[in-house]
């Protein structure tokens, strides 16, 4: 389980009803394929050795004996294979017959799990043939020549590298209290489900929703295998479903209604799941009383690691199919946060510095939405341009044009004279474009905004975003400070996306060209002079690194607590066509160093709404000592 990932497989073999020998051959073929592709665990459909639709043939001694012989063949087949296989078969225990899942590895029968909930409604008649797991008395039995302990108690199986899984069978997951609830709470990282779900109109969509919700609720992986072509079609049809979920997200699915066997292989991120559970106090509380017997699996030969999961290089960006819905939701969160603050303070004036850059543009649009929602005049929005030593014509033009078209109050206050006087007062050489040169401009702008807010009885709205906060790319007590920060929960990549989205809306048709140009303008604080042609010379991403990389690092380190080694591996995969390893390593090191060094700025950041799953507010999601050291993280960055 290198990097916390385990490779699992859901298989749908060809089947002939009651032809155990044929079924075993089909199962063997898929086990061999999965093992050859590095799968560590494979699950097959319910009653896969005999076929699910045998009906009263389950009362035939010959079929039951052949099923046991088939299991013996599989045990021998797996003796030298490095894979755990979970197959379904009918098993006689005492005087009762059970619908079971057999867990086999290296020729050994590790465990036997009986189905708990037996459907006996509609087209299902399982109680006609099988007893429930609740009827099972604890005892030691021999099955296929192997001793195995059976009981009604839940069982969690632990692989040699520490990943844990539980098993439930078909109807179990449809029950009001699925066994997977207890199994996950007792430590199972993922659930295997051996199933035989027939196809009805609309049932598949419901099934996918059910499994997604169950994996999300239990913060687990879910590997589902349901029988397909070859089962009896006397009254129903089995379409074949191989589905792999992780915490509510569908990772892989097979083709339904296929005539051919199906094999779906995917990696489940156990680290990710455990991070979710560790951070969720509700899950921890629910664990009280959750018990299961722990079954240890056998060691396997280490294999070369290969990442087969897709990794989204822009994890903060909504998927295309949810683009409009997600963007509206984000903007509504920002807007309603500001609406409440304005209403609470009985304030009808908002003061904002407009630079013509991304962050101030998004903040201004949010303010406009808030004022429109409250029925306030847009003239109560005081937008101030404050040109300085690095301001370019392009950004200044966009700032002015945006304010004009939105109908807000405009003011322009140059900071050049005041900053020059300040340099004279403190004895600073203007030719030295150092941190004092830059930060003096940022603080002068903040002073102007604060004082104008006092002058008009208004509120300074901050523009700084989540990415800048993570890197500390803001001037302490300069652009770092405001009376309410609407962008504090929005990373830079998402800021760009939101502005592009709003540029496409009819409501902002008049501002469309300006908004697009704002997005296309190089990101810069514009604190050092432009070049000879008047173009931006100080480009943020040249200094601190690409924001798409930093947002990627931020997401995986803050959302899941991943160590630099794993973040680097994921970034290599996500950005393989954009950045080489040395570049990723360089900026990952920069991120870790700056994130620790700049915590003091986050410790006193302004109020502002949380927007997504990652927030750095000291009052909400992130509490960190300002004097914590980054030694461990930087050392691992050096070693990747």
């Amino acid at each position: 389980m290198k990097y916390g990932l385990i490779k699992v497989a859901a298989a749908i073999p060809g089947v002939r009803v009651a032809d155990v020998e044929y079924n075993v051959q089909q199962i063997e073929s898929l086990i061999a394929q999965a093992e050859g592709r590095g799968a560590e665990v494979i699950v097959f459909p319910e009653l896969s050795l005999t076929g699910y639709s045998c009906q009263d043939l389950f009362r035939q001694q010959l079929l039951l004996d052949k099923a046991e012989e088939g299991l013996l063949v599989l045990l021998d087949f797996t003796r030298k294979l490095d894979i755990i296989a979970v197959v379904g078969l009918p098993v006689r225990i005492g005087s009762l017959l059970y619908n079971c899942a057999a867990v086999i590895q290296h020729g050994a029968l590790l465990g036997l799990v009986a189905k708990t909930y037996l459907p006996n409604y509609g087209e299902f008649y399982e109680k006609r043939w099988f007893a429930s797991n609740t009827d099972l008395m604890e005892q030691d039995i021999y099955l296929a020549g192997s001793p195995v302990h059976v009981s009604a108690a839940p069982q969690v199986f632990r692989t040699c590298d520490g990943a844990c899984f539980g098993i439930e069978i078909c109807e179990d997951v449809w029950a009001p209290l699925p066994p997977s609830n207890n199994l996950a709470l007792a430590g199972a990282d993922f659930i295997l489900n051996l199933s035989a779900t027939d196809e009805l109109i609309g049932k598949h969509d419901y099934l996918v929703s059910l499994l997604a919700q169950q994996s999300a609720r239990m913060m687990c992986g879910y590997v589902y295998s349901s029988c397909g072509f070859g089962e009896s079609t006397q009254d129903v049809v089995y379409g074949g479903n191989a589905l792999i979920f992780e915490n509510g997200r569908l990772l892989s699915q097979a083709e339904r209604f296929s005539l051919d066997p199906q094999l779906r292989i995917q990696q489940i991120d156990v680290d990710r799941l455990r991070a979710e559970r560790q951070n969720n106090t509700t899950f921890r509380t629910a664990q009280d009383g959750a018990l299961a017997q722990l079954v240890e699996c056998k060691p396997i030969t280490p294999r070369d690691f290969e990442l087969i999961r897709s990794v989204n290089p822009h994890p903060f960006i909504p998927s295309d199919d949810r683009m409009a819905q997600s963007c509206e939701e984000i903007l509504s969160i920002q807007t309603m946060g500001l609406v409440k603050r304005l209403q609470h303070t009985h304030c009808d004036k908002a003061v904002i510095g407009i630079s013509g850059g991304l962050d101030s543009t998004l903040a201004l649009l949010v303010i406009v939405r808030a004022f429109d929602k409250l029925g306030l005049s847009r003239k109560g929005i005081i937008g101030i341009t404050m040109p300085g030593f690095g301001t370019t014509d392009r950004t200044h033009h966009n700032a002015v044009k945006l304010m004009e078209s939105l109908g807000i109050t405009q003011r322009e206050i140059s900071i050049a004279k005041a900053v020059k006087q300040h340099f004279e007062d403190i004895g600073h050489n203007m030719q030295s474009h150092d941190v004092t040169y830059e930060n003096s401009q940022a603080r002068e702008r903040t002073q102007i905004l604060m004082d104008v807010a006092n002058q008009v009885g208004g509120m300074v709205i901050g523009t700084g975003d989540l990415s800048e906060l993570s890197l500390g790319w803001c001037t302490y007590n300069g652009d770092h400070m405001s009376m309410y920060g609407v962008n504090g929960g929005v990373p830079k990549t998402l800021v760009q996306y939101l502005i592009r989205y709003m540029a496409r809306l009819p409501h902002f048709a008049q501002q469309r060209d300006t908004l697009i140009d704002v997005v296309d303008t190089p990101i810069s604080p514009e604190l050092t002079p432009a070049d000879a042609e008047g173009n931006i010379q100080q480009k943020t991403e040249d200094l601190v690194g690409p924001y798409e990389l930093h947002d990627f690092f931020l997401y995986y380190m803050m959302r899941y607590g991943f160590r630099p080694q794993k973040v680097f591996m994921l970034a290599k995969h996500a950005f393989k066509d954009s950045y080489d390893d040395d570049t990723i390593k360089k900026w990952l090191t920069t991120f870790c160093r700056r994130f620790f060094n700049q915590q003091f700025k986050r410790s006193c950041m302004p109020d502002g709404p949380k927007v997504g799953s990652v927030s750095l507010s000291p009052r909400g999601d992130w509490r960190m000592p300002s004097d914590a050291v980054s030694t461990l993280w930087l050392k691992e960055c050096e070693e990747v």
Side-chain angles (χ1 to χ4, degrees):
M1 196 172 62
K2 192 170 184 182
Y3 297 112
L5 296 159
I6 185 167
K7 191 178 286 187
V8 298
I12 306 171
V15 64
R16 291 180 183 169
V17 178
D19 188 343
V20 174
E21 184 175 340
Y22 174 84
N23 297 338
V24 167
Q25 291 172 355
Q26 295 294 305
I27 291 170
E28 286 178 342
S29 174
L30 290 174
I31 290 176
Q33 291 179 48
E35 199 262 357
R37 292 169 59 183
E40 298 170 64
V41 183
I42 184 171
V43 60
F44 289 88
E46 184 176 7
L47 297 167
S48 45
L49 266 69
T50 58
Y52 174 77
S53 50
C54 289
Q55 300 187 38
D56 281 356
L57 292 177
F58 286 125
R59 293 177 172 176
Q60 292 291 307
Q61 185 176 357
L62 176 62
L63 181 65
L64 301 181
D65 288 345
K66 288 298 180 181
E68 186 171 357
E69 290 176 17
L71 180 61
L72 181 61
V73 172
L74 286 177
L75 287 170
D76 185 61
F77 177 76
T78 62
R79 198 170 301 279
K80 294 183 179 180
L81 298 180
D82 273 328
I83 190 169
I84 299 166
V86 183
V87 299
L89 75 162
V91 178
R92 288 171 298 191
I93 302 176
S95 58
L96 299 177
L97 183 66
Y98 295 88
N99 178 345
C100 291
V103 183
I104 59 180
Q105 183 191 22
H106 287 330
L109 180 59
L110 301 181
L112 203 62
V113 177
K115 187 173 183 176
T116 299
Y117 296 99
L118 303 173
N120 221 62
Y121 55 85
E123 62 268 36
F124 298 106
Y125 293 91
E126 286 192 29
K127 288 185 178 180
R128 180 179 176 92
W129 310 296
F130 300 110
S132 167
N133 177 68
T134 57
D135 300 319
L136 186 58
M137 298 179 62
E138 185 170 2
Q139 57 192 293
D140 293 317
I141 67 168
Y142 275 86
L143 181 66
S146 299
V148 61
H149 183 78
V150 296
S151 77
Q155 299 176 70
V156 169
F157 297 82
R158 183 163 62 190
T159 68
C160 64
D161 46 17
C164 295
F165 65 89
I167 296 168
E168 59 186 6
I169 302 175
C170 198
E171 184 77 5
D172 290 346
V173 75
W174 299 76
L177 293 174
S180 52
N181 286 11
N182 181 77
L183 292 169
L185 292 170
D189 300 303
F190 59 98
I191 304 297
L192 306 178
N193 188 311
L194 301 81
S195 188
T197 300
D198 59 329
E199 299 295 339
L200 303 172
I201 295 175
K203 187 174 183 179
H204 177 73
D205 289 342
Y206 185 87
L207 170 68
V208 171
S209 174
L210 174 71
L211 298 182
Q213 285 298 314
Q214 184 64 2
S215 71
R217 181 177 295 107
M218 303 317 300
M219 300 180 194
C220 67
Y222 205 98
V223 188
Y224 182 90
S225 172
S226 180
C227 54
F229 185 75
E231 290 286 357
S232 171
T233 58
Q234 179 177 343
D235 290 299
V236 295
V237 169
Y238 299 91
N241 274 299
L243 301 161
I244 302 174
F245 293 85
E246 179 184 283
N247 197 20
R249 186 164 65 99
L250 179 61
L251 300 181
S252 182
Q253 62 179 325
E255 176 190 351
R256 294 165 65 212
F257 304 111
S258 172
L259 301 183
D260 301 317
Q262 298 280 304
L263 180 65
R264 304 305 299 175
I265 297 177
Q266 189 50 266
Q267 286 166 323
I268 290 176
D269 194 333
V270 173
D271 278 355
R272 189 169 181 159
L273 295 170
R274 290 178 178 176
E276 293 278 18
R277 292 177 177 183
Q278 178 182 322
N279 293 332
N280 191 297
T281 56
T282 301
F283 187 90
R284 298 207 303 266
T285 302
Q287 283 184 303
D288 293 344
L291 298 172
Q293 296 176 350
L294 185 63
V295 180
E296 297 286 356
C297 300
K298 296 179 178 295
I300 63 171
T301 304
R303 309 174 190 188
D304 293 336
F305 176 78
E306 176 193 9
L307 185 68
I308 63 171
R309 289 166 62 105
S310 61
V311 182
N312 182 1
H314 304 116
F316 288 109
I317 304 301
S319 57
D320 289 341
D321 59 330
R322 288 181 52 85
M323 182 265 290
Q325 180 183 346
S326 296
C327 287
E328 277 303 320
E329 196 168 32
I330 293 164
L331 292 166
S332 294
I333 291 170
Q334 292 179 277
T335 300
M336 292 306 291
L338 180 57
V339 164
K340 168 63 178 176
R341 184 53 57 97
L342 291 169
Q343 200 173 57
H344 173 72
T345 56
H346 306 288
C347 183
D348 60 0
K349 300 287 193 302
V351 179
I352 179 172
I354 306 297
S355 67
L358 287 167
D359 294 338
S360 65
T361 296
L362 176 60
L364 175 57
L365 296 175
V366 169
I367 297 170
V368 167
R369 285 171 58 112
F371 269 60
D372 290 351
K373 197 170 190 69
L374 287 168
L376 299 175
S377 169
R378 291 188 183 181
K379 289 299 181 182
I381 305 171
I382 294 90
I384 307 177
T385 53
M386 296 169 281
F389 308 130
T391 303
T392 61
D393 290 341
R394 179 179 184 180
T395 56
H396 182 264
H397 173 75
N398 283 338
V400 172
K401 193 171 181 181
L402 191 61
M403 289 190 289
E404 288 176 348
S405 64
L406 289 170
I408 71 170
T409 298
Q410 303 170 59
R411 292 185 65 176
E412 181 162 311
I413 304 172
S414 172
I415 65 169
K417 183 178 178 181
V419 173
K420 286 179 181 178
Q421 180 62 53
H422 180 61
F423 288 159
E424 184 178 328
D425 292 341
I426 66 173
H428 182 74
N429 181 1
M430 272 200 64
Q431 303 310 312
S432 175
H433 296 170
D434 58 7
V435 68
T436 304
Y437 180 89
E438 295 186 11
N439 286 350
S440 294
Q441 297 175 70
R443 292 194 179 102
E444 177 61 28
R445 288 181 170 127
T446 300
Q447 177 177 260
I448 290 172
L449 295 174
M450 292 288 182
D451 291 345
V452 170
N454 291 160
Q455 188 180 57
V456 301
M459 178 185 299
V460 176
I461 306 304
T463 62
D465 63 51
L466 181 64
S467 304
E468 292 179 344
L469 285 167
S470 69
L471 294 167
W473 190 250
C474 52
T475 299
Y476 190 77
N477 204 32
D479 54 309
H480 156 261
M481 192 47 61
S482 66
M483 296 172 184
Y484 195 74
V486 293
N487 291 343
V490 186
K492 188 74 77 177
T493 49
L494 185 54
V495 172
Q496 295 171 313
Y497 197 86
L498 289 171
I499 294 174
R500 285 193 185 278
Y501 164 74
M502 283 190 282
R504 294 193 291 268
L505 297 179
H507 187 67
F508 292 110
Q510 188 179 352
Q511 293 82 31
R512 181 169 298 139
D513 291 343
T514 305
L515 295 178
I516 294 300
D517 194 57
V518 167
V519 175
D520 291 340
T521 302
I523 300 169
S524 171
E526 293 192 322
L527 295 173
T528 59
D531 62 19
E533 286 75 37
N535 298 315
I536 293 172
Q537 184 167 275
Q538 184 187 29
K539 297 179 181 178
T540 298
E541 292 182 294
D542 291 345
L543 300 171
V544 295
Y547 273 115
E548 63 177 353
L549 280 180
H550 286 309
D551 284 357
F552 185 91
F553 304 151
L554 172 67
Y555 180 81
Y556 284 104
M557 292 186 73
M558 297 302 105
R559 181 77 171 81
Y560 301 110
F562 287 169
R563 59 193 298 168
Q565 183 185 54
K566 182 166 183 175
V567 175
F568 177 74
M569 180 275 295
L570 293 172
K572 281 177 58 176
H573 188 82
F575 296 101
K576 58 180 179 293
D577 297 325
S578 304
Y579 304 101
D580 60 32
D581 292 0
D582 289 341
T583 300
I584 295 172
K585 177 177 178 177
K586 171 187 174 182
W587 295 123
L588 176 59
T589 304
T590 296
F591 178 86
C592 291
R593 176 177 53 80
R594 291 193 65 98
F595 186 84
F596 274 82
N597 292 351
Q598 302 295 311
Q599 171 62 26
F600 73 98
K601 295 179 182 176
R602 298 187 292 269
S603 292
C604 56
M605 61 182 278
D607 289 359
K610 178 180 178 180
V611 168
S613 58
V614 176
S615 169
L616 295 176
S617 169
R619 298 166 297 276
D621 292 58
W622 189 250
R623 293 164 176 82
M624 171 183 169
S626 297
D627 49 6
V629 295
S630 55
T631 305
L632 293 177
W633 286 261
L634 295 180
K635 184 177 181 181
E636 181 153 303
C637 285
E638 292 174 7
E639 295 170 351
V640 296

